[in-house]
Amino acid sequence: MYRGIISFSPETAAELGLSDHKAWEDYIDRHILTLAKFNGIRVQDLQWVAAHHNEKGHPHIHVVFWNKHQRTMVPFVHPSIPDKIRKQLIRDTFAERIKAYCEDKQQAKEHLSAITDEMIDEFEKYMEQLHPQEYRRLREAFGRITDDELGTSPLDSVVGAMKIAPFLSRLFALKEKMPKKGRLYYKLLPEDVKVEVDAFVAFLKENNEYIRNLVQDYAESKTRLAMLYDTDPAHIKEQQEKAVAEADKLIANKILDVIRTMLCKDREVQSFEYTEARKAYFTEQMICEILIALEQAAMSFDMEYDDRQKAMSTELSKAARKEWYLRHKDKGVEP
């Protein structure tokens, strides 16, 4: 027999009108076929019972259902099945709210995009009038770079006053060592080239405090997430080392992204000329993309930690916590 629990916060239950036994009975009657469908039970073979508990602070309903014609049951339900059921119930229960949210989000996006385009045009005109000579100098310095490159290149670089010459020379030296054929992905590189890439990653971390600090933030965020399940110091250390290795691989792939772009230009235009401005552009682009990727990854772990800590500390039973952990461990949060 299959069993499950459907619950809402008291506020959400009140909003949905789930205030008494009859309302909960109507709710499960409308959605029981979703539970059956994802477990491979046809409607004509379905039998079920449910019990409503109007527990203070935790209104919920227990459901037990089975296939009346199936004699031998498979004693395992893959964690992805209840996860799919949960998502489908959310879609069905909050269909109108989701639709309204999407419409509001799209309107806000379109409005923000229009305002942003107008402000950029106004700001560019303002800068040209305020400092015409400086503006012209910047355009000339980057004049040999295409407009689409200028659109993504930070003119006021986050690297600030830091000299990029050491990174520039190593980046272009590494470019020359790349294989001439095949796809350019870290896991597919020859071992001797991987060693060169790893050395460049280590050099970046050693000589760029922003990258070094963000790698540390990434490792700390992922380790904190792992501590929700295991506080063994040995395991925590292993998790931190694993996170640093993942961050290093992320950096390596960002380096390869920039090199891949350069190699494409080499193939498109024979004797492609790398002026100093263009070399600086590619080097700064590499550093910026590494910083952005590391920051976004660390923030993602922090947000996931907050969500999971809240779920594990309030609404879930021990059995539900175990099931939740098994369902998510393949996402890289196991100790």
Side-chain angles (χ1 to χ4, degrees), residues 2-8 18 20-29 32 35 48-55 58-66:
Y2 301 90
R3 57 190 177 87
I5 301 174
I6 301 175
S7 66
F8 298 101
L18 301 175
D20 55 29
H21 183 87
K22 181 63 169 58
W24 277 94
E25 182 179 351
D26 291 341
Y27 179 86
I28 191 60
D29 193 49
I32 187 63
L35 281 68
W48 61 279
V49 294
H52 165 234
H53 290 166
N54 193 23
E55 184 179 327
H58 180 50
H60 60 278
I61 189 169
H62 294 264
V63 188
V64 178
F65 56 101
W66 61 95

Side-chain angles (χ1 to χ4, degrees), residues 131-150:
H131 300 291
Q133 294 181 348
E134 180 67 11
Y135 181 85
R136 187 161 49 254
R137 186 190 68 78
L138 285 172
R139 294 295 298 185
E140 290 175 354
F142 289 88
R144 303 188 70 176
I145 301 176
T146 60
D147 289 340
D148 61 316
E149 289 176 341
L150 272 174

Side-chain angles (χ1 to χ4, degrees), residues 244-281:
V244 171
E246 289 177 359
D248 288 351
K249 186 175 180 181
L250 184 152
I251 295 171
N253 281 314
K254 288 300 177 183
I255 294 171
L256 293 176
D257 285 345
V258 173
I259 292 178
R260 191 182 300 111
T261 300
M262 291 190 288
L263 292 176
C264 286
K265 288 187 175 295
D266 290 347
R267 288 191 292 268
E268 291 170 1
V269 183
Q270 293 183 353
S271 302
F272 187 78
E273 182 182 358
Y274 287 97
T275 62
E276 290 305 311
R278 193 182 293 276
K279 288 180 180 181
Y281 159 76

Side-chain angles (χ1 to χ4, degrees), residues 186-198:
Y186 180 81
K187 64 181 180 180
L188 302 177
L189 292 176
E191 289 303 318
D192 58 330
V193 180
K194 279 187 180 180
V195 171
E196 296 286 346
V197 174
D198 292 342

Side-chain angles (χ1 to χ4, degrees), residues 172-324:
F172 279 79
L174 184 61
K175 168 182 168 289
E176 298 305 318
K177 297 178 181 179
M178 289 295 126
K180 304 305 179 184
K181 296 182 179 180
R183 293 183 298 171
L184 199 61
Y185 294 104
Y186 180 81
K187 64 181 180 180
L188 302 177
L189 292 176
E191 289 303 318
D192 58 330
V193 180
K194 279 187 180 180
V195 171
E196 296 286 346
V197 174
D198 292 342
F200 189 25
V201 171
F203 183 80
L204 282 168
K205 291 197 297 182
E206 181 180 353
N207 293 276
N208 187 299
E209 62 175 326
Y210 301 106
I211 293 177
R212 185 170 59 251
N213 292 338
L214 280 173
V215 168
Q216 183 178 353
D217 290 345
Y218 178 98
E220 290 178 354
S221 296
K222 189 157 189 181
T223 301
R224 193 163 64 116
L225 192 59
M227 290 176 66
L228 289 174
Y229 311 101
D230 192 339
T231 57
D232 187 326
H235 291 174
I236 297 303
K237 184 177 180 181
E238 291 174 6
Q239 184 68 25
Q240 189 167 22
E241 292 173 351
K242 180 181 177 182
V244 171
E246 289 177 359
D248 288 351
K249 186 175 180 181
L250 184 152
I251 295 171
N253 281 314
K254 288 300 177 183
I255 294 171
L256 293 176
D257 285 345
V258 173
I259 292 178
R260 191 182 300 111
T261 300
M262 291 190 288
L263 292 176
C264 286
K265 288 187 175 295
D266 290 347
R267 288 191 292 268
E268 291 170 1
V269 183
Q270 293 183 353
S271 302
F272 187 78
E273 182 182 358
Y274 287 97
T275 62
E276 290 305 311
R278 193 182 293 276
K279 288 180 180 181
Y281 159 76
F282 280 115
T283 306
E284 291 188 5
Q285 182 189 46
M286 175 193 69
I287 293 174
C288 289
E289 289 188 2
I290 290 171
L291 294 173
I292 291 170
L294 287 171
E295 183 176 21
Q296 288 178 340
M299 289 177 61
S300 177
F301 282 130
D302 287 339
M303 293 172 64
E304 194 169 358
Y305 170 84
D306 292 339
D307 291 343
R308 296 184 182 188
Q309 184 188 46
K310 181 179 179 181
M312 295 178 70
S313 62
T314 56
E315 299 178 359
L316 300 183
S317 65
K318 290 183 178 179
R321 292 182 191 181
K322 181 179 179 181
E323 178 183 332
W324 189 93

